[in-house]
């Protein structure tokens, strides 16, 4: 498939939201005899290329899993290298986002992130608020944490009973449609606490490609696979 074919597929199959579990940076670096942090540096460049291609194909909403609530278990060296990369991205992203009409959201629990980062995350969200496309960056994100956060918010507001729509609107992804496609790289076939509620009817695509090696060709393949899926939502489709 080519860009033109992917564009057509995105439109015809109504592929609005793609979510990525960007996995395999560490293994990619190890294969090259390099420290894990190097894998994250290259992975950050891949992230930019991947989202650019997705929007080029006409996808309205992209979500990337950048740091989970469990990733704090990693070494202080690795965590701080990741925080530096997030910080550098936040400082340099505005021009590209505004040029491409993208609104950024950071989804996850901010409280545990560095203060300086929290402030700039909020500023970037405000500055891009007029964007028509969506980029969700999951940073200190855990789906169970998100669900509990939503439950507690609703309780504090005095709710005694909620419906699906109200609940969805209390999640960090309130303004995004549910993901149509969840892509996980590096061979692992699990959610790792990502979008538990939102992915109830998502299609899943797994590739052995390690995240830093993801590119247009792999994305075309993922979109083509999505194009071949029949989404039944529990009904019988003849
Ligand atoms: C994904 O790559 C990036 C983050 C979780 C931040 P990993 O760092 O998990 O890479 P592997 O799975 O160890 O290869
Ligand atoms: C999931 O990857 C989290 C991110 C991609 C940010 P992990 O590498 O942390 O997942 P596990 O530990 O293999 O489940
Ligand atoms: Mg991993």
């Amino acid at each position: 498939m080519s860009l033109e074919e992917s564009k057509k597929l995105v439109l015809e199959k109504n592929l609005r939201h793609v979510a990525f579990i960007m996995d395999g940076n560490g293994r990619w670096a190890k294969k090259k005899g390099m420290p894990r942090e190097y894998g994250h540096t290259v992975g950050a460049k891949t992230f930019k290329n991947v989202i650019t291609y997705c929007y080029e194909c006409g996808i309205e909403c992209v979500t990337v899993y950048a740091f989970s609530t469990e990733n704090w278990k990693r070494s202080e060296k690795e965590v701080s290298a990741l925080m530096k990369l997030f910080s550098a991205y936040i400082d340099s992203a505005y021009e590209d986002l505004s040029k491409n009409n993208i609104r950024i959201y950071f989804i996850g629990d901010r409280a545990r992130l560095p203060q300086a980062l929290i402030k700039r995350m909020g500023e970037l969200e405000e500055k891009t608020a007029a964007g028509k496309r969506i980029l969700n960056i999951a940073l200190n994100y855990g789906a169970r944490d998100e669900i509990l956060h939503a439950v507690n918010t609703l309780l504090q507001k005095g709710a005694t009973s909620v419906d699906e729509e109200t609940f969805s609107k209390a999640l960090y992804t309130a303004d995004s449609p549910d993901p149509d496609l969840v892509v996980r790289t590096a061979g692992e076939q699990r959610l790792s606490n990502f979008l538990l509620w939102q992915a109830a009817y998502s299609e899943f695509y797994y590739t052995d490609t390690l995240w830093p090696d993801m590119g247009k060709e792999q994305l075309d393949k993922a979109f083509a696979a999505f194009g071949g899926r029949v989404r039944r939502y529990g009904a019988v489709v003849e």
Side-chain angles (χ1 to χ4, degrees):
M1 288 225 312
S2 62
L3 169 65
E4 287 316 311
E5 283 167 315
S6 283
K7 270 187 178 170
K8 192 163 166 265
L9 187 147
V10 164
L11 202 66
E12 281 173 1
K13 297 282 175 177
N14 202 20
L15 176 50
R16 298 178 65 200
H17 181 177
V18 183
F20 292 95
I21 302 177
M22 311 187 283
D23 200 14
N25 292 349
R27 276 164 278 175
W28 185 88
K30 194 175 171 200
K31 266 186 22 190
K32 295 209 154 12
M34 298 293 279
R36 296 179 57 81
E37 293 73 24
Y38 178 64
H40 296 314
T41 304
V42 177
K45 294 194 180 111
T46 303
F47 149 76
K48 288 185 205 160
N49 295 334
V50 165
I51 65 164
T52 303
Y53 189 65
C54 286
Y55 295 120
E56 236 172 71
C57 289
I59 290 159
E60 292 164 36
C61 179
V62 179
T63 300
V64 293
Y65 204 2
F67 194 87
S68 76
T69 46
E70 287 73 38
N71 287 147
W72 298 105
K73 294 174 190 166
R74 298 186 179 198
S75 73
E76 134 71 29
K77 179 174 174 244
E78 182 169 351
V79 170
S80 95
L82 284 163
M83 293 301 148
K84 279 207 184 98
L85 284 170
F86 302 146
S87 175
Y89 175 70
I90 290 163
D91 284 345
S92 64
Y94 177 69
E95 206 177 304
D96 228 39
L97 293 172
S98 73
K99 195 175 72 196
N100 291 298
N101 204 11
I102 298 164
R103 175 173 192 172
I104 198 167
Y105 291 89
F106 292 96
I107 61 171
D109 178 12
R110 292 177 199 205
R112 204 172 160 186
L113 296 170
Q115 269 306 317
L117 207 60
I118 301 174
K119 184 165 172 280
R120 285 180 286 133
M121 283 158 65
E123 286 166 1
L124 191 58
E125 284 178 333
E126 273 172 36
K127 283 204 301 193
T128 61
K132 293 285 174 279
R133 295 154 155 174
I134 292 177
L135 172 62
N136 295 308
I137 301 198
L139 214 53
N140 194 25
Y141 175 90
R144 288 185 171 181
D145 175 76
E146 177 184 41
I147 288 168
L148 289 179
H149 175 264
V151 168
N152 287 317
T153 307
L154 292 164
L155 287 174
Q156 274 156 21
K157 285 185 182 161
T160 50
S161 153
V162 286
D163 56 20
E164 286 193 12
E165 203 189 326
T166 312
F167 191 74
S168 293
K169 288 285 176 205
L171 296 171
Y172 295 128
T173 51
D175 295 336
S176 302
D178 283 342
D180 299 295
L181 175 64
V182 177
V183 175
R184 182 164 188 154
T185 56
E188 246 68 70
Q189 303 194 352
R190 56 174 171 255
L191 267 181
S192 302
N193 204 7
F194 191 46
L195 304 179
L196 291 178
W197 171 274
Q198 299 90 331
Y201 265 107
S202 300
E203 298 296 329
F204 288 80
Y205 180 82
Y206 299 105
T207 169
D208 287 335
T209 303
L210 303 172
W211 178 257
D213 290 329
M214 270 304 267
K216 294 179 186 184
E217 206 180 304
Q218 287 300 325
L219 291 166
D220 284 338
K221 272 194 197 165
F223 300 156
F226 176 83
R229 305 281 175 87
V230 181
R231 305 185 81 186
R232 280 183 286 273
Y233 298 98
V236 176
V237 176
E238 296 299 337

